[in-house]
Amino acid sequence: MSHQSDRSHHRWVQSHNLPQPQLKLQPKAQKEPMFYYFAYGSCMCPVDLKRSLGENTHDYIIGPAVLKGYRLGFYSYSPTRKCGVLDVLPDDQAHVKGVLYHLPWRLSAYLDNREGVSQSLYRRETVDIDCGDKVYKNTRTYIVVNKLSEELAPNEWYSSVVLRGAVTCGLPEEYCWSLFDHMYKLQQRSQDHLLQSLEKAL
C-alpha cells in the first residue's frame, strides 16, 4: 500500500511541477495623440460638431473657456450656411467666451475640412485659453482669412445652433443673452436694409 501511495504522490508532484510557459509582458498601449481646440461659434454645439467629425464629442469637452484679447464678429459669409458666420478679431480690450475641447488628432483633418481651410475660408491660429484655473497654451482655433468690411447677419438656423452650444456647454447666462442680442440686431438691420431696397425699387 505504501508503494502505491508513493507512486500516486510521485504522479501528483509531476503533474503540478510541469514547466510553466514564459509569460510575455504586453507593451503598454500608446496614448492617442490629442490636441486642444477652442470653439466660439457653431462648433460650441457638440451635436453640430458630431455632424462633421462623425462621432460624439461630448466626452472631449473640458469646459467653458475664455480667449482674451479678441472680440466676436460676423465678418465672413459661409457658402454652406448661406449667411454670415462668426469670426474673432484682435482687440486688447475684449474677450471671447467659448468651449474648450481635447480632441483626438485623427479628427484634425475633419475639423479643417469643416472650417474650409483648403478653401482659405478659415485658417488655424494658435492661442492661449483660460479654462477653470488653468491656461491651455498652444490651443487651436480658427480665424477668417478674408474678412468682410462689415458684419453680415446670421440666419435663424445658424443663430440657434450657436446659442444651443453656448447654453449646453455652460457659458454664463449674461454672455448668452449678449450673443443673442448681437445676432438679433444684425438680423433686424439686414431686414431694414432689405425693406429700404424694396421701397427704392417701387
Side-chain angles (χ1 to χ4, degrees), residues 27-39:
K28 288 184 179 178
Q30 294 289 329
K31 279 191 174 182
E32 187 173 13
M34 307 283 282
F35 67 98
Y36 292 107
Y37 165 56
F38 175 73

Side-chain angles (χ1 to χ4, degrees), residues 67-84:
L67 169 63
K68 295 179 179 177
Y70 287 82
R71 63 181 172 86
L72 280 178
F74 288 82
Y75 289 97
S76 180
Y77 172 78
S78 169
T80 305
R81 313 278 190 175
K82 294 182 170 54
C83 67

Side-chain angles (χ1 to χ4, degrees), residues 163-175:
L163 285 173
R164 185 167 66 241
V167 172
T168 300
C169 294
L171 267 60
E173 184 177 349
E174 181 182 354
Y175 187 83

Side-chain angles (χ1 to χ4, degrees), residues 2-199:
S2 60
H3 290 299
Q4 185 177 358
S5 176
D6 287 344
R7 285 196 297 271
S8 298
H9 176 73
H10 181 68
R11 285 196 298 270
W12 186 91
V13 170
Q14 281 186 322
S15 65
H16 286 75
N17 285 278
L18 294 174
Q20 296 296 316
Q22 292 295 318
L23 296 176
K24 293 184 178 180
L25 295 175
Q26 295 295 324
K28 288 184 179 178
Q30 294 289 329
K31 279 191 174 182
E32 187 173 13
M34 307 283 282
F35 67 98
Y36 292 107
Y37 165 56
F38 175 73
Y40 56 84
S42 60
C43 288
M44 290 191 294
C45 177
V47 175
D48 196 64
L49 188 56
K50 176 186 176 182
R51 181 176 57 82
S52 300
L53 303 188
E55 62 180 81
N56 289 324
T57 55
H58 290 83
D59 292 342
Y60 301 130
I61 294 173
I62 295 179
V66 180
L67 169 63
K68 295 179 179 177
Y70 287 82
R71 63 181 172 86
L72 280 178
F74 288 82
Y75 289 97
S76 180
Y77 172 78
S78 169
T80 305
R81 313 278 190 175
K82 294 182 170 54
C83 67
V85 290
L86 278 167
D87 180 24
V88 289
L89 301 86
D91 185 338
D92 291 337
Q93 305 303 313
H95 66 270
V96 174
K97 293 186 187 295
V99 177
L100 182 63
Y101 289 90
H102 198 205
L103 297 173
W105 188 262
R106 57 188 162 78
L107 300 179
S108 175
Y110 294 104
L111 192 57
D112 281 350
N113 185 60
R114 175 189 173 100
E115 300 298 337
V117 172
S118 62
Q119 292 84 38
S120 296
L121 298 177
Y122 285 82
R123 62 176 172 80
R124 292 185 189 179
E125 183 79 0
T126 301
V127 293
D128 293 344
I129 296 296
D130 289 74
C131 182
D133 58 355
K134 183 177 178 182
V135 176
Y136 291 81
K137 295 184 175 295
N138 300 316
T139 297
R140 182 192 306 184
T141 195
Y142 291 86
I143 293 180
V144 170
V145 176
N146 299 308
K147 302 180 189 298
L148 301 174
S149 58
E150 65 177 33
E151 289 186 280
L152 182 64
N155 59 27
E156 289 293 336
W157 184 80
Y158 181 81
S159 299
S160 66
V161 171
V162 170
L163 285 173
R164 185 167 66 241
V167 172
T168 300
C169 294
L171 267 60
E173 184 177 349
E174 181 182 354
Y175 187 83
C176 293
W177 276 112
S178 174
L179 189 56
F180 170 80
D181 186 60
H182 188 172
M183 294 189 289
Y184 178 75
K185 287 178 178 176
L186 286 177
Q187 290 167 345
Q188 288 298 110
R189 189 186 72 179
S190 179
Q191 289 179 8
D192 290 345
H193 287 173
L194 179 59
L195 287 174
Q196 290 172 7
S197 298
L198 290 173
E199 288 173 357

